[in-house]
Amino acid sequence: MQADEIFIPLITKKITDPPQIFTKIEIFEDLLFWCKECNRERLAKHKSQKNLSFKIDDIGSEVDAYLKKVRLKMLKNGQNGKNSLFKRLCSTEATIRWLVERWGNVFLNIATNPSYKAYINAGNIGYELHDNIGHHQDALSILIKEEEEQEREQKRNNEIEKWRKEWAEMLEHGKIGGEPTECGNTQMVLIF
């Protein structure tokens, strides 16, 4: 069972009017927790985005702070028909689903889009204390560097595996062999 299948029916019973989601801070904060969990599940299911699911706890607090800051503006724009929330304010469930999607969108922007740093202070995310990392670097840049390093490592592993397969194929087709040496070891021979 998914997180949204659990929490949406429970929370919709407590909310009589969809704008309450934005006007009552307690409800909004409760929903932000569930937004984080729903997006963690969604990211963990996708092979290409699985690494991002591990960063949700670090970056999620910044997403929460940003959404708390703009919650009333989002509601006002939705009521005025300036965003996609306008069509969803008629239903509590639809409004909650919109908020979950919005949380995920902001998270992906912070985690993957370097130009989004202008709108979010990624330095508030925290610092990773490590011997070779200076305290002047923000956590987002550190996370991005780690992800790039993981991608390079995966590429190297793929190249090594390709090389091993090529050598195994050459051995299988008799293009590589071995012959004994005087000291009892085996010497590799390439056959052209």
Side-chain angles (χ1 to χ4, degrees):
M1 189 172 252
Q2 296 179 341
D4 59 347
E5 293 174 357
I6 296 169
F7 87 91
I8 289 178
L10 293 174
I11 291 186
T12 53
K13 292 177 184 176
K14 297 178 183 178
I15 301 169
T16 57
D17 188 30
Q20 282 182 333
I21 292 171
F22 298 94
T23 56
K24 292 191 176 182
I25 190 69
E26 303 85 22
I27 294 173
F28 192 77
E29 287 176 346
D30 288 345
L31 285 174
L32 289 179
F33 168 78
W34 287 107
C35 290
K36 183 188 302 184
E37 294 307 313
C38 287
N39 282 286
R40 184 191 318 269
E41 273 185 9
R42 186 181 56 82
L43 291 170
K45 287 180 183 177
H46 292 87
K47 197 173 191 179
S48 64
Q49 297 178 337
K50 192 166 193 146
N51 287 341
L52 289 174
S53 70
F54 301 124
K55 299 175 185 177
I56 280 196
D57 288 328
D58 296 328
I59 300 174
S61 60
E62 189 63 26
V63 175
D64 291 348
Y66 173 76
L67 290 176
K68 283 180 198 174
K69 186 171 74 174
V70 298
R71 67 187 169 88
L72 296 175
K73 183 179 178 183
M74 288 188 297
L75 176 62
K76 183 179 176 185
N77 287 341
Q79 289 172 333
N80 293 333
K82 294 182 180 178
N83 61 24
S84 59
L85 178 61
F86 174 72
K87 296 177 183 175
R88 297 192 173 102
L89 277 173
C90 59
S91 162
T92 302
E93 183 177 334
T95 304
I96 293 171
R97 290 194 186 280
W98 180 87
L99 185 60
V100 170
E101 291 170 10
R102 181 71 181 140
W103 195 100
N105 186 18
V106 172
F107 171 79
L108 288 175
N109 281 330
I110 292 173
T112 61
N113 188 349
S115 63
Y116 208 74
K117 281 182 164 183
Y119 303 101
I120 299 292
N121 184 2
N124 289 340
I125 294 172
Y127 297 104
E128 182 175 324
L129 300 176
H130 204 279
D131 293 339
N132 60 355
I133 297 173
H135 293 288
H136 63 282
Q137 293 175 303
D138 62 53
L140 181 59
S141 64
I142 293 168
L143 293 173
I144 290 171
K145 286 178 186 176
E146 286 178 359
E147 189 170 292
E148 289 171 352
E149 180 60 36
Q150 288 175 352
E151 289 173 4
R152 282 193 294 273
E153 183 69 28
Q154 183 65 35
K155 188 176 180 182
R156 280 192 294 262
N157 290 341
N158 290 343
E159 289 173 4
I160 290 170
E161 188 61 33
K162 180 182 175 188
W163 178 80
R164 284 183 181 154
K165 286 180 182 178
E166 289 173 355
W167 277 96
E169 189 175 306
M170 289 175 72
L171 183 60
E172 187 178 306
H173 290 28
K175 295 182 179 181
I176 300 175
E179 67 180 28
T181 61
E182 291 177 7
C183 64
N185 294 328
T186 305
Q187 171 178 316
M188 185 169 65
V189 178
L190 296 175
I191 303 166
F192 296 99

